[in-house]
Amino acid sequence: MNDIPELSLQNVRIANPEHVTEVIQNMIRDGQNKLQVVADFDRTLSKYTHRGQICSTCHNVLEEGHVLPEFYKDEARALRDHYFPIEMNPKLTIEEKIPVMVEWWTKAHDLLSKCHITKDDVRIMVENSTARLRDGCTWFFDQLQATDIPLLIFSAGIGDVIIEVIKHQATLHDNMKVVSNYLEYDDQGKMTGFQDEMIHVYNKNEGAIHDSDYFQKLEHRNNVILMGDSLGDLHMADGAVGVQNKLKIGFLNVKVEESLELYMKKYDIVILEDETLNVVNAILRKVLQSKQ
Ligand SMILES: [Mg+2]
């Protein structure tokens, strides 16, 4: 397909190859100046597993190491054990999940607010954490920067953690915008709560970024690569203007058998249990090689 051998790999599933071939063909024809990328962070740009070991998400980073007290770790773990199976349950609708996710995020954020962490604490926790960017992420970021392709990272995680992970393991470039939940600090540099509206896994179609002029400014970039690992991620680029070609790439990391059919319906390309960005990078490489 499109002369991209990675698309024929055993762990890459495509429900409609003709559609995918055409979209990629159009993206190659239009070149880098027409492209923008919108990506989720946890389990999309970051790994689900690293050499078989499960890695931390943004929120899980806070439970590792010795910075936060035991009561935080116990309560955060209990919340996740209760709510994560609900988030991933393919038998529930998104409408059914939304109020439950709001409840989870609210409790998790209130819990963290009790700990009064500092910016330095965040940096130290990230440096000692098992959060890992996918293999190939540095190349991906550097190529997008070198070719001026905007990258919107849209996450229901914690912005402060994402920024530190990227700075620590790759480079945070000026073409990258991270929209997420950011910590608020008092004059003494202690965390007191969160800024702005909450972003949870199922409201990525609304809120600050869609109300801002971010997508308006990019209206000449009619081609969008969207990358996610949750069904809520499919709506991250709903605010994009004048989209002509959208390629939705989904990473399916857990409950593969139960979710594959649904993911193949929703995502153009589904990548199973992979620790790399090889497929995305192969497509990007083709677009950058075009003569536009
Ligand atoms: Mg995710």
Side-chain angles (χ1 to χ4, degrees):
M1 284 179 66
N2 302 100
D3 232 356
I4 301 173
E6 285 81 355
L7 294 177
S8 308
L9 291 172
Q10 180 57 31
N11 69 328
V12 177
R13 305 297 168 87
I14 298 171
N16 186 343
E18 291 76 26
H19 173 71
V20 168
T21 302
E22 189 190 337
V23 169
I24 294 177
Q25 205 61 54
N26 293 343
M27 288 185 169
I28 293 170
R29 179 200 65 204
D30 295 344
Q32 65 196 50
N33 297 332
K34 293 284 178 190
L35 185 65
Q36 55 173 306
V37 182
V38 180
D40 166 58
F41 185 77
D42 283 320
R43 281 43 170 133
T44 296
L45 292 175
S46 79
K47 293 181 181 188
Y48 179 64
T49 57
H50 176 60
R51 296 178 192 151
Q53 298 291 312
I54 294 183
C55 297
S56 270
T57 62
C58 293
H59 281 103
N60 297 356
V61 162
L62 307 173
E63 291 161 50
E64 296 183 318
H66 303 289
V67 175
L68 285 180
E70 285 305 314
F71 82 84
Y72 174 85
K73 296 180 189 179
D74 294 344
E75 286 184 44
R77 212 169 290 134
L79 288 174
R80 192 175 60 248
D81 289 347
H82 176 71
Y83 289 106
F84 184 63
I86 302 175
E87 178 189 338
M88 297 311 290
N89 186 344
K91 295 194 176 75
L92 295 175
T93 66
I94 287 179
E95 288 69 31
E96 288 169 319
K97 291 179 187 181
I98 286 174
V100 189
M101 294 300 110
V102 171
E103 199 177 280
W104 180 9
W105 261 246
T106 306
K107 286 183 184 170
H109 287 180
D110 287 350
L111 176 62
L112 184 60
S113 300
K114 288 182 194 157
C115 301
H116 305 298
I117 53 171
T118 64
K119 284 186 181 171
D120 260 357
D121 290 335
V122 175
R123 186 180 48 77
I124 292 164
M125 284 189 279
V126 166
E127 285 177 7
N128 296 319
S129 78
T130 60
R132 291 283 175 283
L133 293 174
R134 282 180 189 272
D135 299 331
C137 217
T138 299
W139 187 90
F140 179 68
F141 289 162
D142 291 351
Q143 289 301 308
L144 293 179
Q145 198 266 341
T147 51
D148 270 332
I149 297 171
L151 168 62
L152 173 65
I153 298 174
F154 200 165
S155 171
I158 299 173
D160 306 59
V161 173
I162 294 171
I163 301 272
E164 285 301 329
V165 172
I166 294 173
K167 280 185 180 168
H168 189 58
Q169 297 178 25
T171 311
L172 185 70
H173 296 296
D174 53 11
N175 64 317
M176 296 159 67
K177 184 174 176 67
V178 182
V179 173
S180 188
N181 300 300
Y182 282 94
L183 307 182
E184 197 157 58
Y185 298 95
D186 66 13
D187 297 344
Q188 267 72 52
K190 301 259 188 216
M191 183 233 180
T192 54
F194 280 81
Q195 304 173 17
D196 308 321
E197 297 163 67
M198 174 203 301
I199 300 171
H200 58 76
V201 281
Y202 294 118
N203 70 348
K204 289 186 169 185
N205 57 331
E206 47 190 65
I209 194 67
H210 299 284
D211 295 337
S212 78
D213 59 358
Y214 179 83
F215 284 118
Q216 257 80 35
K217 282 188 180 152
L218 302 180
E219 69 178 328
H220 58 289
R221 293 185 179 266
N222 315 99
N223 298 337
V224 179
I225 292 179
L226 180 144
M227 300 154 60
D229 76 303
S230 152
L231 297 178
D233 296 333
L234 288 158
H235 301 286
M236 293 186 298
D238 282 4
V241 185
V243 176
Q244 287 167 3
N245 298 285
K246 189 194 274 186
L247 189 65
K248 294 171 287 181
I249 302 174
F251 292 90
L252 181 50
N253 306 305
V254 288
K255 288 191 186 289
V256 171
E257 263 176 47
E258 298 100 299
S259 306
L260 182 58
E261 200 185 327
L262 182 59
Y263 269 61
M264 285 180 71
K265 262 191 206 135
K266 302 283 187 180
Y267 281 103
D268 301 311
I269 299 174
V270 181
I271 301 166
L272 312 181
E273 296 175 324
D274 194 351
E275 295 185 358
T276 77
L277 272 188
N278 291 351
V279 175
V280 177
N281 283 347
I283 297 168
L284 179 64
R285 195 175 291 118
K286 277 282 170 194
V287 173
L288 299 186
Q289 281 167 358
S290 82
K291 296 279 176 272
Q292 281 295 303

